[in-house]
Amino acid sequence: MRILGIESSCDETGIAIYDDEQGLLAHKLYSQVKVHADYGGVVPELASRDHVRKTIPLIDEAFKEAGCGPKDIDGVAYTAGPGLVGALLVGTSIGRSLAFAWDKPAVAVHHMEGHLLAPMLEDEQPEFPFVALLVSGGHTMMVKVAGIGEYEVLGESVDDAAGEAFDKTAKLLGLDYPGGPLLAKMAEQGTPGRFTFPRPMTDKPGLDFSFSGLKTAAANTIRSEGDDEQTKADIAHAFQTAVIDTLAIKCKRALKHTGIKRLVIAGGVSANTELRQKLERMMQGMKGQVFYPRTEFCTDNGAMIAFAGMQRLKAKQYATLDMKTQPRWPIESLPPL
């Protein structure tokens, strides 16, 4: 079976064609970074307009790369939520309309399920059950995964997501948008130990996250100390270390709570090299395994939507004709396969 996947939840237009036997046949991605850079963040209306311009041409390119056409696919998957409602509506209306025109089933995909299953695109795949840390610009959550559609949210951010805190702190440091990767690069030049920031909510039980206080601590230090480039690098190092330590502490706590020895990290922040190394060392000490997607599948992409859509397509969990989008969509509400 083959499926076309469409991702348009925020500021990346992702298209992919996935075959359940041959794997990924085509993968196209257009990033809107340059569109939003002048504004220091995503402008929803501009994001929607760009998805309108890019989606169909990218679909044509994906078909050419895969060497097939609409008649060769068995379904169309699209991101129906969560995300920016205007951006979601573009991908949903295009995906559902193409499925109708081609007389193919349509599948509405949960964006975070796409991230959660992205490591399944790799040769070494995690077995169920596992604990998943989903960290991106819009979400930070810990999920116990018993199987596809069998999700229990163990904890989530009560305010800023980790990626959002990275981007906001980077902006305070004078870095361009998107700031998270630039902050991580700046942190490489930082002096360890010069500044120390709190590890929020790690001194109390539970698996929820909070990064707004950490961001405020960094902001106050930037205002009082951050006049030169070395000091900014030292602050970036301290901030990144605090975020990574916090995530690692909560992961270890979740693994001990569930008794599971497999950890998945996914989402944009999972591309952070220091985070990966920290969690790899931690899992070695716990005699467990950590899994994550390759870097290009950490950020939003069509491949993860195509893969997640294929699982739902096989289960015949088709979308209706009403083109429903869900900007907020609890992952626990998804049906099991």
Side-chain angles (χ1 to χ4, degrees), residues 36-211:
H36 304 288
D38 290 343
Y39 305 94
V42 178
V43 181
E45 178 64 24
L46 296 181
S48 302
R49 291 177 183 178
D50 230 29
H51 287 308
V52 171
R53 285 191 288 264
K54 298 297 183 180
T55 302
I56 295 297
L58 286 176
I59 290 174
D60 289 338
E61 290 180 21
F63 275 130
K64 288 179 182 178
E65 182 177 315
C68 64
K71 68 180 184 304
D72 302 309
I73 64 169
D74 300 284
V76 179
Y78 55 85
T79 304
L84 302 175
V85 63
L88 291 170
L89 282 168
V90 175
T92 295
S93 58
I94 291 175
R96 193 64 195 83
S97 298
L98 290 177
F100 182 81
W102 296 338
D103 194 25
K104 308 288 184 181
V107 181
V109 174
H110 191 290
H111 179 75
M112 297 311 293
E113 181 174 59
H115 276 303
L116 188 150
L117 297 178
M120 302 290 187
L121 291 162
E122 306 303 327
D123 292 334
E124 186 179 8
Q125 302 176 356
E127 297 180 1
F128 299 110
F130 58 78
V131 170
L133 172 66
L134 304 179
V135 276
S136 65
H139 301 84
T140 301
M141 64 174 66
M142 196 83 70
V143 185
K144 179 182 177 182
V145 182
I148 297 178
E150 299 176 61
Y151 307 131
E152 177 188 353
V153 176
L154 303 173
E156 56 190 333
S157 180
V158 298
D159 42 54
D160 289 354
E164 182 181 5
F166 261 101
D167 286 341
K168 288 180 177 178
T169 302
K171 188 173 183 179
L172 293 170
L173 287 166
L175 300 175
D176 292 334
Y177 172 84
L182 297 177
L183 186 151
K185 187 172 182 60
M186 176 182 278
E188 293 175 3
Q189 308 304 317
T191 305
R194 180 181 174 187
F195 298 104
T196 301
F197 294 136
R199 277 61 173 161
M201 297 183 74
T202 57
D203 58 349
K204 60 178 67 176
L207 293 166
D208 285 337
F209 302 88
S210 171
F211 294 105

